[in-house]
Amino acid sequence: MTATAGLLCIALAAVLQAGFLLRRENRRDPVSHWLLAAAALLLFVTLAERSVKISFVAVTGTYESLVFFSAAICVVLFGLRLALRTRGMSPFVMFGATFVCLVLLILSSSPLAPKDVQPPIPALQSYWLVLHVTFSFIGESFFVVSFVAAVAFLATRSEDRRADMDRLITTSIGIGYPVFTAGALIFGAIWAETAWGSWWSWDPKEIWALITWLIYTAYLHTRLVRKMRGRISAVLVIAGFLATLFTFFGVNFLLSGLHSYG
Amino acid sequence: MKAVYSFFKSVRLTIVLILVIAALSLLASLVPQRRPDAWYRSHYSPFVSALIRLAALPRFFSSAGFLVPALLLTLNLGVCAVDRVVRRVKNKSTPRYGPDLIHLGLLILIAGGVVTALGRQETTWSLAVGEDAALNSTYALHLLSLQYLKYDNGAPKEWTSTVRITREGNIEIPSFPIRVNQPLRLKGLSVYQTAWELQGILDLKDADGQEVTATTGQGFPLGQSFWYFAEAQKARDAWSIVAVEYEGKEMKPVSTRELRAGDTLGPYTVLGITAREITGLKAVKDPGFAPFLAALVIIAVGLAVTFVQKNASRYSADSRRGTPADSRRGTPADSGRAEA
């Protein structure tokens, strides 16, 4: 029920943002980010309810992961919208990232993500896992913003807008990359060592998390060290986000391994 | 020597190597790793199977195709790390320790990975309550009790193996519950809970009248088939064993039988069936784990320092310009470009 209400809030926010985009005034609507904040709250309530039922932090299944990911995107968009008041957070980026969030939440309602409340099996009963999952998704939420900004960067010819998008990409990856590194690689490796006695197993999920990390590492080197602000950096950001998506969906549904449960 | 140094300090080389490793890893992730050659022959066409084996994809992460670019990247990382320090000393520029720490942490992480790959040792045991296992020449483990809890839906909730550790016969740890995610750590050795099994035991009599014992997990050939004792079941206070018949090169299951005392299967007659709970324990000695942990701490500190230093320089630049932070044209990252 709360998840459905959250979905409606996000859908309403997307409609509102689309309406402002179509007016071509490049003005940001004053309401949608508050709708996103409400949606995040409702989604966290959903997870809290499920956590109480299983007596553990409910981030261990595909449904819960998608709900958490969506909630994290809402929080990131709300935060960036407030933090970057005068420049940067363009209506297009807000709409694009909200749309990605909406798609993720709709996927959580599909048969791909069973909604039964399942208590965690022994391997999943670890707070390292909770840190691993939550930090990974928080980092990836910033990658959603950078992805939409990279698409906007490639789509526009205005140098001013490109500069804005470039700044937004760098800022969001600048925050998302260390959080993702901590979650996906550091906490993930510590959990794997505690659960299985091996901190790296070349499991498909691990390989894809590494690929994602390498692509964003390459971006940071092109953009910050080589000072390349052009298309190559933007393409790397898009590739990084596609790798992020494959790490979650592709590996879960196409490649089997240690992570085949979630 | 100077040319080699210049070659390895190139950031362009870093980017190329990172992308090459990412692309090769992507290819390797699509092929299941470490399967026998026959598996690839049976699951792919002859051409694709030959291609996969030619590219060493089944063991890609220990092949030259991965190790050579990884080694080059390690050298590149090392030279870049040294070069940053050298340039800073020469130019007397503002020190930025974050990236230095991250690079150092990554080098230690890679070293830890190499040590793990070369020196990691693993031993597994299946033990029943009361049985012992030698951890090494000094320490031994004795299984005191075994607990398997299930949720209402039948899914496993917890496996606990309570063990006693002795050192040369003297009790070192009287009782320690090993659970999944709660290993026993002992002087560089870790003992993990890996499995739980209900082991069925069959007392059999063969055609010559000889008595033999078999357990679930074992089997025997019979004509063109192979019979496998799969699992023990209990019904009306009597144990039975589910036996599965496999046929052909690919070992396809073709039939099952539930064996009870008095039944006959091929040359064997079942005299009796019992069962006992078995725990699966794994001892791991990984000399690469300590450097790995140290590397994680250094990388985490490096990331935090990078973030703090970039923000500090951003705000100092903003205050020098007298502009509020949210209306600046530069980025937090831009402020750190001078030394990169």
Side-chain angles (χ1 to χ4, degrees), chain B residues 3 9-10 12 26 32 69 92 101 133 141 197 201-202 204 245 249 253 270 301 303-304 317 338:
Chain B
K9 78 170 189 183
S10 159
R12 186 176 291 177
L26 186 156
K92 293 179 182 169
L101 287 170
L141 173 153
E197 184 197 347
I201 303 164
L202 297 101
L204 304 168
E245 182 185 16
K249 276 185 182 172
V270 181
V301 172
L303 288 168

Side-chain angles (χ1 to χ4, degrees), chain A residues 83-87 118-126 160 163-164 166-167 170-171 174-175 177-178 181-182 186 189-191 193-199 201-202 204 207-208 210-211 213-215 217-218 221-229 236 246 255, chain B residues 11-12 14-15 18-19 21-22 25-26 29-30 33-34 61 66 103 106 109 112-113 116 120 151 153 155-159 180-183 185 190 192-193 282 284 286 288-289 292-293 296 299-300 303 307 310 326-334 337 340:
Chain A
L84 307 173
R85 266 167 293 184
T86 54
R87 296 196 70 89
Q118 296 286 353
I121 59 169
L124 301 179
Q125 295 166 21
S126 165
D160 266 5
D164 284 346
D166 175 68
R167 185 165 60 249
T170 318
T171 303
I175 302 170
Y177 178 82
T181 304
I186 297 179
I190 294 174
W191 172 47
E193 198 282 333
T194 310
W196 296 292
S198 172
W199 51 274
S201 309
W202 296 112
I207 297 171
W208 273 90
L210 179 67
I211 291 169
W213 186 81
L214 286 172
I215 294 173
T217 304
H221 282 80
T222 59
R223 175 62 187 82
L224 303 185
V225 185
R226 299 280 300 174
K227 298 156 197 163
M228 294 160 67
R229 291 167 187 256
L236 277 176
F246 193 84
L255 308 173
Chain B
V11 177
R12 186 176 291 177
T14 312
I15 296 165
I18 286 173
L19 293 178
I21 291 173
S25 302
L26 186 156
S29 77
L30 304 178
Q33 296 289 299
R34 294 187 287 268
F61 295 102
F66 174 75
H103 288 168
L106 286 172
L109 186 73
T116 292
R120 184 175 180 277
Y151 291 111
N153 65 3
K157 182 180 182 183
E158 190 176 290
W159 295 310
V180 181
N181 281 307
Q182 187 188 296
R185 309 275 189 193
S190 300
Y192 299 85
Q193 177 72 53
K282 176 168 77 176
V284 174
D286 183 358
F289 185 54
F292 158 74
L293 277 182
L296 294 189
I299 291 170
L303 288 168
F307 190 80
K310 281 191 189 302
D326 62 1
S327 64
R328 72 196 184 280
R329 294 294 301 177
T331 67
D334 287 336
R337 278 193 281 155

